[in-house]
Amino acid sequence: MKNREENQPVRTQTDGTCSPKRQMEGASGCPRILIAGTGSGCGKTTLTCGILYGLLQRGLHPCACKCGPDYIDPMFHSRVLGVETGNLDSFFTDRETMRRLLAREKGDLCVIEGVMGYYDGCGFTEKGSASEIAALTETPVILTVNARGMSRSVLAVLRGFLAAQTEQNIRGVIFNQLPAKLYPDIRREAEAMGVRALGYLPRIPGAAFESRKLGLVAPDEIQGFRKKLGLLYETMRETIDWDSILALAKEAPGFACIPEEKDGPDGRGVKIAVAKDEAFCFLYQDNLEFLKALGCEILFFSPLREKEIPEGADALILNGGYPELHAAALEANTAMRQAVSRAVKDGMPVIAECGGFMYLHERLQGEDGKEYGMAGVLHGECHKTSGLARFGYITMEAEKDNLLCPAGGTLKAHEFHYYDSTLLPDAFTAKKTGGSACWKAGVADKRMYAGFPHLYFYGNKEAAYAFVRAAKEYGHRAGI
């Protein structure tokens, strides 16, 4: 019993009150923490999901966000919480926009998951990094340190991350894959560095999340996700200092009331059909909220199962996802392929990103290596490459007037794909952020944007406005 008590985190009791900063008049936004990591694969997602699940088990109502452009980790968060979650991205948006997005989060506590290593951003900079987002949003950070294969050396890792700070946001640390017997000594020395030791996770083989494609995996690919969460929490309830995590979150200052933006077209009456199923699952919830704020109605549909685009749709969004895993089923749904082809050729405005872009081709090579027929809007085929074709933030300059911007206009985007197309893109010149590489990207005209790059509407507001205006114009025309 003595050893077990020694290995327990120090429990800090809290009276539930907020810090003076949180009590400012007109302050908004719930208490929050950011779970950062020393690098990809250190256990950020496991720890974030475990904390969210644990907060639910303790009778609280948490919410969540993901740093950066990732679609997949928010799926994990949504699976835990049962509600859609959003992103925070300092490449796409400015400080005020991020704070506005955070201020609208409703819950007892917002858990923000970091991206890559804490200081990793565009190129060899901190732009877009978890450290920059923590600074811009004044969010306390809990650093996840993977201790596998180490003992005292984890302290050197922690000391290095603390010394590298330009702003003192790392306020707590949790050690992952740490043997219980090492925690008392490591906790004592970590706290001597001025950081709170908030617990540890021993190695739990039955609770491991399988990875796919750079450590990312759709939740539907995980067998027994709920069972693993339960197993994870059974350990975390004993090894994590929950009271101190709650107290730390309440130290985050509230935001002064930030008025909602009033710019943009009146989208009332505009209906936008959005593909959403297992094949088309990569979509930013924030993009949908952006369209709803303009008054647009979102109509979800499944290219896998349904035969028609939703009746009365004025525009179409084909999201990214895994069409290559469902190529046979997509091909078999001839009615939907023809419906999409008719709509686009009729002039319905369409945004087709990555997987949606692949679906518009004549043919798609599935994961099994076979070729399957797709919508046939674009004359060409998509095929698997030997590795990651492109990855990272880009800025695109339009070569000609198109659906989203005039010639010379720019869009911020993100690419992450293993497939390529036989089409010769000519709509934009793309430049890698933080680098010198340039290439042609996307196909576009006055009614279509299609390409591998993903767009985030809060970082491309004028492009989103142009899309809604085109949808409204199409709706008026179709109604004549």
Side-chain angles (χ1 to χ4, degrees):
M1 185 69 178
K2 179 180 178 182
N3 289 337
R4 180 173 177 175
E5 289 176 349
E6 287 179 349
N7 292 335
Q8 295 304 303
V10 175
R11 302 283 172 177
T12 303
Q13 297 299 321
T14 175
D15 61 5
T17 60
C18 297
S19 69
K21 288 184 179 181
R22 290 207 58 81
Q23 295 174 344
M24 71 173 75
E25 184 178 354
S28 60
C30 56
R32 61 193 180 276
I33 51 171
L34 191 154
I35 306 297
T38 52
S40 295
C42 70
K44 293 189 303 293
T45 300
T46 298
L47 185 59
T48 300
C49 289
I51 288 175
L52 289 171
Y53 186 78
L55 293 171
L56 287 171
Q57 298 306 304
R58 296 166 75 88
L60 297 174
H61 300 283
C63 53
C65 289
K66 170 68 180 181
C67 291
D70 182 25
Y71 292 95
I72 297 176
D73 287 345
M75 293 185 198
F76 280 101
H77 306 162
S78 299
R79 178 65 68 88
V80 177
L81 297 173
V83 296
E84 299 297 331
T85 61
N87 294 70
L88 295 174
D89 197 308
S90 57
F91 168 75
F92 281 121
T93 63
D94 58 19
R95 174 178 180 269
E96 183 178 270
T97 299
M98 279 196 299
R99 291 163 77 95
R100 182 182 293 111
L101 291 172
L102 260 181
R104 77 182 185 191
E105 294 292 338
K106 306 299 180 186
D108 296 319
L109 187 152
C110 183
V111 181
I112 305 167
E113 181 178 348
V115 57
M116 299 189 293
Y118 182 55
Y119 298 110
D120 298 331
C122 300
F124 201 63
T125 74
E126 289 186 46
K127 182 64 180 174
S129 67
S131 61
E132 182 180 58
I133 291 171
L136 292 173
T137 62
E138 301 179 83
T139 300
V141 173
I142 298 174
L143 185 68
T144 308
V145 178
N146 191 340
R148 186 173 183 177
M150 292 188 284
S151 58
R152 186 174 176 80
S153 294
V154 301
L155 295 170
V157 175
L158 175 60
R159 186 175 291 108
F161 271 79
L162 293 174
Q165 294 185 101
T166 53
E167 296 191 37
Q168 306 301 305
N169 290 315
I170 300 177
R171 310 276 286 284
V173 60
I174 293 177
F175 299 95
N176 189 29
Q177 300 198 68
L178 180 74
K181 64 181 180 181
L182 295 179
Y183 184 67
D185 288 334
I186 287 177
R187 180 189 68 200
R188 182 181 62 254
E189 297 210 28
E191 292 184 342
M193 297 180 199
V195 66
R196 306 179 204 183
L198 300 173
Y200 68 98
L201 269 178
R203 189 165 178 266
I204 315 172
F209 292 174
E210 291 84 357
S211 63
R212 178 179 182 272
K213 295 184 179 179
L214 289 183
L216 306 179
V217 58
D220 288 335
E221 297 170 350
I222 301 175
Q223 296 182 353
F225 182 69
R226 285 279 174 184
K227 182 178 179 181
K228 293 184 179 188
L229 279 174
L231 182 61
L232 182 63
Y233 178 59
E234 282 303 308
T235 297
M236 290 180 66
R237 67 190 300 178
E238 300 296 330
T239 65
I240 298 298
D241 185 350
W242 296 93
D243 291 331
S244 289
I245 288 176
L246 291 170
L248 181 60
K250 290 174 181 176
E251 292 179 10
F255 301 126
C257 288
I258 305 172
E260 288 295 325
E261 293 177 298
K262 301 300 182 181
D263 296 335
D266 182 357
R268 287 176 294 181
V270 173
K271 297 180 180 180
I272 299 178
V274 177
K276 185 179 182 183
D277 57 22
E278 298 93 322
F280 302 97
C281 53
F282 293 176
L283 70 162
Y284 289 123
Q285 180 64 23
D286 292 332
N287 281 0
L288 303 182
E289 297 301 327
F290 186 98
L291 295 173
K292 290 177 183 177
L294 295 176
C296 300
E297 180 181 355
I298 305 299
L299 306 174
F300 291 115
F301 74 103
S302 169
L304 280 172
R305 300 181 183 86
E306 297 175 45
K307 303 302 181 185
E308 293 286 343
I309 295 171
E311 184 177 357
D314 303 309
L316 177 64
I317 295 179
L318 296 170
N319 302 295
Y322 295 117
E324 69 274 20
L325 300 181
H326 305 274
L330 290 170
E331 179 186 60
N333 193 350
T334 304
M336 178 57 77
R337 291 192 289 120
Q338 292 176 344
V340 169
S341 180
R342 283 194 306 269
V344 177
K345 290 177 181 178
D346 184 52
M348 179 182 286
V350 58
I351 292 176
E353 299 177 333
C354 207
F357 172 56
M358 291 157 64
Y359 182 66
L360 289 185
H361 282 67
E362 291 176 305
R363 293 176 303 280
L364 168 63
Q365 182 185 39
E367 282 277 293
D368 58 7
K370 298 179 182 178
E371 287 193 356
Y372 297 90
M374 294 291 115
V377 173
L378 302 175
H379 300 296
E381 63 181 50
C382 282
H383 55 86
K384 190 176 183 179
T385 63
S386 59
L388 190 61
R390 294 200 187 280
F391 169 57
Y393 291 116
I394 60 174
T395 299
M396 304 194 299
E397 182 175 343
E399 295 292 330
K400 57 185 178 181
D401 292 348
N402 62 77
L403 171 66
L404 301 182
C405 63
T410 59
L411 301 174
K412 292 182 177 181
H414 181 268
E415 286 196 68
F416 185 100
H417 55 98
Y418 289 80
Y419 273 65
D420 211 339
S421 169
T422 58
L423 286 174
L424 295 177
D426 63 356
F428 297 88
T429 296
K431 182 176 181 180
K432 185 73 176 275
T433 302
S436 59
C438 290
W439 61 93
K440 298 297 182 183
V443 295
D445 57 30
K446 290 294 186 68
R447 291 290 171 179
M448 177 174 65
Y449 162 78
F452 283 112
H454 296 272
L455 304 175
Y456 184 70
F457 288 168
Y458 280 99
N460 296 283
K461 295 177 184 178
E462 292 302 323
Y465 295 159
F467 178 62
V468 172
R469 291 189 188 101
K472 196 164 188 174
E473 178 185 325
Y474 176 83
H476 287 323
R477 191 194 79 182
I480 294 175

